[in-house]
Amino acid sequence: MTAIKILCPTGHLAFTPLEKGSFLLGCEQKPDFIIADAGSCDMGPRPLGADQHVSLAAWQRHDLEVMLVQARKLGVPMIVGSASDTGTDRGVDQFVGMIRDIAAEHRLAPFKLTAIYAEQSIDELKRKLAGGARIEGLDGRPDADLATLGRTTRVVAVMNAEPIRAALAGGADVVIAGRSSDCALFAAPLLDAGFSPGISYYTGKLMECASFCAEPYMGKESILGRVEGEAVCVTAMHPGQRCTPASLGSHAMYERTNPFREDVAGGHIDMTNCRYEQVDPKTTRASGQVFVKAPTVKVKLEGAGKVGERRLAVIGIRDPHTIQLIDKAIAWAKGKVAERFGPIGEGYDVFYHLYGRNAVMKDLDPAPEMKPHELGIVVEAIHRDGEKAAEIAALAARNMFYARLPETKGTAGAAALMSDEILIGEAAYEWTLNHVIEVKNAMELFRTRTMTVDGSGLKEAV
Amino acid sequence: MATLRELASTIRSKNAGVDHITFDIICRERANFDRVRNSNVLSREGVAALFNIPVERVSHFTVFEPANAIKFTIRRLKPSGSPGETDVFGSQQYAPLFDVVIP
């Protein structure tokens, strides 16, 4: 088996634009594949629930254009996963449209594009539940029931390597995949070339965040992985970066609860005995992973559900007496809200985020009561009905102004209003599904569409 | 006596999935790592006390030798990005670790 080289230019396509300089240096190394992930659940549940992208369209187009033009010039496959941040069907179609436009603009010769869709019908999941299927909770969550699905607005399944591998085996030059496991994007071509599941997925784990696995800290720079046998050599492409045993090893533990284990559909990689060796100033070789096969194949489901409309107000407090008694002031204002809307938390919600005290860490903040010079408060109100949410936000904010505190000297207003207005926030969502479902084969939740894109004649045959 | 801020080169927090926040303390120097680890100041119980939370909320605690690192994970009370949540990436929860004193 010959070695395979993979170039990865970004850990989240278009979150900010990729850096072209180190990417072109990587292209000079003649990679066999160009691969990038475009999504994450880090941005919270709203993008999935509302089916919005958080990366700017102009940057999505920029990154896809840089990658596509070089991939076609080199004549190597390009794989993009979790299209448009969330990997919904809308995201896949958006990226497919951009690929067509870029191909036409650059008059690219015909190539084969495979789109893989990952969105799931909630009704179909309900039928599966009714039929006895188990939707098993992850991370200590209870299993999903009909009520959980009832609270869910949109669901994607997270594909593993198999659908992407099938697309490559079918001759795809460009793969635009819906929601995907990051490491599956890299594992797919390696498995297709005959590498073991262990090194295939492990390579993906190490490479999926691009230059985050190198030092010093830089985002959006390219890295090159050269896979041979049961080891991968990862090289930083930016002239000022290097991959070291420390940088690669610390990346292996990034964003995960267990640094020794990476779960994939059908098994996990055990990284307990991994070794990292410097082979040249910019390159570290990683090996020692073991693939442990699971008895069943489980696919992860991510789901988000709408909670309500959200309205916000911003107020400030400078009076040291009010700051000292801030909890009393909030209790007063909450009381006024509850007088009109009933107990907080029943059918609506209101939150006070106290910037200057503990807005950032809330219950996790161990710091003793501080005496800030001034306090900034964001009032967040949630209600099914937007107008009601606005009324709650106004009541909750203005009653800070009217707070009745003992021995107040400032009797013309206990709070400063930055602007007496209620801000319209994006709707509030919550993560309803962080679950897995057992499948007979890893392909069954995903749908594939293949087309020929001909930029030279602006024609397209399906 | 030294603080963690002086001994570690990286102290960070980040989402690990939507229900957890994971914390990494990484030392560039092996000697510093050994000192932090052998002090046993950082433990499942130690970090629970530091963040003033029940020990059951510390879902994982691991020493990760390949990276000279100590890693622990705390369960969120509500999933990331829920109404009322203010750190959607979980990226600003590590500050209390800075002043932890290591003998």
Side-chain angles (χ1 to χ4, degrees):
Chain A
M1 198 186 312
T2 53
I4 283 191
K5 286 184 281 189
I6 298 175
L7 181 64
C8 176
T10 170
H12 182 164
L13 185 141
F15 198 63
T16 62
L18 68 82
E19 300 289 345
K20 202 171 170 182
S22 63
F23 178 68
L24 294 178
L25 287 174
C27 289
E28 288 174 13
Q29 300 297 313
K30 301 269 182 282
D32 300 295
F33 296 90
I34 295 174
I35 301 177
D37 150 61
S40 169
C41 36
D42 273 343
M43 304 83 64
R46 179 179 51 81
L48 174 61
D51 205 6
Q52 298 168 333
H53 53 94
V54 294
S55 298
L56 300 188
W59 300 349
Q60 293 175 325
R61 199 192 140 93
H62 168 270
D63 283 9
L64 289 173
E65 182 174 14
V66 169
M67 290 171 68
L68 180 66
V69 167
Q70 292 303 317
R72 297 321 308 141
K73 195 182 276 181
L74 290 163
V76 301
M78 156 177 164
I79 304 168
V80 173
S82 300
S84 201
D85 304 310
T86 56
T88 59
D89 291 358
R90 175 207 58 77
V92 172
D93 287 336
Q94 183 198 17
F95 274 22
V96 167
M98 285 180 175
I99 292 283
R100 285 175 171 159
D101 290 347
I102 296 161
E105 193 178 309
H106 289 267
R107 299 251 156 188
L108 297 178
F111 60 87
K112 197 167 178 179
L113 168 67
T114 298
I116 309 172
Y117 295 89
E119 207 166 314
Q120 304 297 309
S121 149
I122 293 170
D123 287 338
E124 180 58 30
L125 289 172
K126 285 179 178 168
R127 277 194 288 277
K128 283 183 174 158
L129 263 190
R134 181 179 178 203
I135 301 180
E136 184 185 343
L138 290 174
D139 297 332
R141 285 188 176 221
D143 290 357
D145 55 15
L146 283 174
T148 316
L149 293 176
R151 288 189 287 118
T152 301
T153 311
R154 198 172 309 280
V155 181
V156 288
V158 183
M159 75 182 78
N160 258 270
E162 291 79 4
I164 302 161
R165 183 182 176 181
L168 294 170
D173 298 301
V174 175
V175 179
I176 299 294
R179 188 69 175 121
S180 324
S181 139
D182 297 352
C183 63
L185 304 172
F186 298 82
L190 295 171
L191 291 166
D192 195 46
F195 284 92
S196 72
I199 190 60
S200 298
Y201 282 106
Y202 182 49
T203 296
K205 177 59 217 146
L206 291 175
M207 291 190 66
E208 46 112 352
C209 281
S211 50
F212 270 12
C213 74
E215 60 180 87
Y217 178 76
M218 293 183 193
K220 305 295 169 190
E221 300 291 353
S222 288
I223 58 164
L224 186 80
R226 184 176 184 278
V227 186
E228 190 165 19
E230 286 294 318
V232 56
C233 291
V234 188
T235 309
M237 290 295 107
H238 185 278
Q241 266 198 316
R242 59 202 181 279
C243 288
T244 66
S247 73
L248 223 53
S250 62
H251 184 68
M253 64 191 250
Y254 183 62
E255 291 185 315
R256 57 218 290 71
T257 53
N258 185 340
F260 300 117
R261 183 184 171 115
E262 173 79 18
D263 284 293
V264 300
H268 71 267
I269 313 162
D270 183 342
M271 300 186 279
T272 310
N273 295 313
C274 283
R275 293 179 302 278
Y276 303 91
E277 308 150 76
Q278 194 86 48
V279 294
D280 70 42
K282 295 177 73 67
T283 304
T284 286
R285 180 178 189 271
S287 62
Q289 71 292 333
V290 175
F291 182 75
V292 182
K293 198 169 165 23
T296 56
V297 180
K298 291 175 180 175
V299 172
K300 187 181 174 201
L301 299 174
E302 295 173 352
K306 186 170 175 179
V307 180
E309 299 298 328
R310 174 192 260 137
R311 298 293 181 270
L312 304 160
V314 180
I315 55 183
I317 296 177
R318 179 66 178 79
D319 178 340
H321 181 68
T322 312
I323 290 174
Q324 198 187 347
L325 297 178
I326 190 65
D327 292 323
K328 279 198 168 64
I330 290 172
W332 158 265
K334 280 185 170 174
K336 299 308 286 180
V337 174
E339 267 177 37
R340 277 183 69 79
F341 286 90
I344 293 171
E346 294 183 14
Y348 78 99
D349 236 322
V350 62
F351 304 95
Y352 289 82
H353 304 297
L354 304 180
Y355 287 91
R357 189 165 84 169
N358 66 346
V360 176
M361 293 190 62
K362 297 276 169 59
D363 67 290
L364 283 181
D365 203 326
E369 189 72 22
M370 291 198 282
K371 289 187 179 156
H373 176 72
E374 64 177 21
L375 197 55
I377 302 179
V378 176
V379 177
E380 177 185 14
I382 313 285
H383 193 285
R384 194 172 359 99
D385 178 276
E387 283 187 25
K388 292 271 186 355
E391 187 184 338
I392 293 162
L395 267 178
R398 285 193 188 150
N399 275 299
M400 296 296 284
F401 187 85
Y402 292 122
R404 297 178 189 178
L405 299 173
E407 294 177 40
T408 285
K409 294 187 196 301
T411 53
L417 305 182
M418 187 190 96
S419 160
D420 186 14
E421 65 181 317
I422 301 304
L423 306 174
I424 299 176
E426 297 276 1
Y429 286 81
E430 63 177 344
W431 287 113
T432 53
L433 289 180
N434 176 25
H435 288 70
V436 289
I437 189 166
E438 192 177 321
V439 293
K440 287 197 185 67
N441 77 68
M443 303 284 287
E444 73 180 55
L445 297 177
F446 305 98
R447 305 165 308 282
T448 291
R449 187 163 69 101
T450 294
M451 64 205 85
T452 299
V453 178
D454 185 352
S456 60
L458 308 176
K459 283 182 311 192
E460 180 178 302
V462 176
Chain B
M1 304 279 269
T3 62
L4 216 45
R5 186 182 196 167
E6 291 161 334
L7 296 174
S9 52
T10 297
I11 300 176
R12 66 189 180 192
S13 65
K14 180 76 203 288
N15 288 343
V18 302
D19 293 320
H20 288 95
I21 298 173
T22 194
F23 296 73
D24 299 336
I25 299 139
I26 307 174
C27 299
R28 188 172 293 117
E29 311 298 333
R30 183 72 188 186
N32 286 351
F33 169 67
D34 288 338
R35 180 172 169 188
V36 172
R37 182 186 51 185
N38 295 339
S39 75
N40 287 323
V41 169
L42 292 179
S43 63
R44 195 180 281 260
E45 292 73 21
V47 298
L50 175 65
F51 286 92
N52 196 22
I53 56 172
V55 74
E56 300 76 52
R57 270 185 73 194
V58 184
S59 64
H60 297 76
F61 185 95
T62 314
V63 175
F64 188 51
E65 300 261 355
N68 288 347
I70 289 170
K71 180 175 186 63
F72 63 91
T73 302
I74 292 178
R75 187 172 176 77
R76 284 177 178 268
L77 289 182
K78 287 197 281 189
S80 68
S82 295
E85 288 296 303
T86 46
D87 189 1
V88 71
F89 285 73
S91 52
Q92 275 294 304
Q93 302 300 311
Y94 56 83
L97 289 164
F98 277 23
D99 297 326
V100 169
V101 174
I102 304 294

